[in-house]
Amino acid sequence: MPEKNFHLSRRNFLGLTAVAVLPLSACQTTMQTPGKVAGASAAAASNVQAIRSTNGLGGLNADPTLERAASQQAAYMASAGQMAHTTGWGRSFASRVRDNEIHGLAAENIAVGRMNIDQLFARWMASPPHRRNMLDPHFTRFGLAYAESTNGSAERYWALVLAS
């Protein structure tokens, strides 16, 4: 059987691209403006220090750059109404770290719920992957932030960024 050559003209390419993109646009999360977005590193400093010292580790310093990265993540999650380490197309944790000029090792803990800082850290300590991040001896800095839910409830989206 003779082989057919397929020629993709610019018009055919644009038409195929439009057909492929339309279903994707329907799947995007609707973004809403979050409620209050606030840094909480200063309020969490005693929690972080107690957790680290109880486990034989040195303390962590609150860092405004890490708090800014945490605020970006918390605001995105509240806007999207879902917990995620990514912030849309191509916006991974690694890209946020790079964009905020955070160098060295870094990790992120996220959470959502109606909880205060004590309850938040208790939940993270009860979760092996989150606990491992907070007890990593390489980390020397942290930034914590939250964003209030878009629906006006007491629910908060939390992000903690840790780095060396």
Side-chain angles (χ1 to χ4, degrees):
M1 177 177 263
E3 188 176 313
K4 291 186 177 184
N5 289 332
F6 179 73
H7 178 70
L8 188 60
S9 70
R10 184 170 186 228
R11 188 173 80 203
N12 288 341
F13 175 76
L14 293 175
L16 289 172
T17 303
V19 170
V21 170
L22 285 175
L24 293 175
S25 64
C27 296
Q28 290 182 354
T29 303
T30 303
M31 302 296 285
Q32 298 178 11
T33 303
K36 177 181 175 183
V37 178
S41 299
S46 62
N47 295 74
V48 171
Q49 304 317 350
I51 288 168
R52 302 268 301 179
S53 67
T54 299
N55 289 279
L57 297 168
L60 301 177
N61 296 315
D63 184 287
T65 301
L66 300 182
E67 188 173 275
R68 182 176 58 244
S71 293
Q72 291 167 352
Q73 184 60 22
Y76 172 78
M77 292 187 303
S79 297
Q82 65 182 14
M83 269 194 354
H85 287 284
T86 58
T87 57
W89 296 104
R91 302 295 304 149
S92 66
F93 174 66
S95 65
R96 269 187 297 109
V97 165
R98 186 175 47 254
D99 292 349
N100 282 288
E101 298 184 14
I102 299 167
H103 305 288
L105 299 174
E108 177 177 71
N109 287 356
I110 59 175
V112 63
R114 298 175 187 197
M115 62 193 110
N116 62 33
I117 289 177
D118 293 336
Q119 294 165 326
L120 171 70
F121 279 95
R123 287 184 184 189
W124 279 337
M125 287 303 289
S127 164
H130 297 103
R131 178 184 178 88
R132 186 171 39 255
N133 285 344
M134 290 190 302
L135 298 180
D136 189 314
H138 296 100
F139 295 142
T140 59
R141 305 175 290 143
F142 80 99
L144 177 68
Y146 69 86
E148 294 175 346
S149 177
T150 60
N151 65 12
S153 73
E155 190 170 68
R156 289 181 173 175
Y157 289 83
W158 295 89
L160 171 69
V161 178
L162 302 146
S164 57

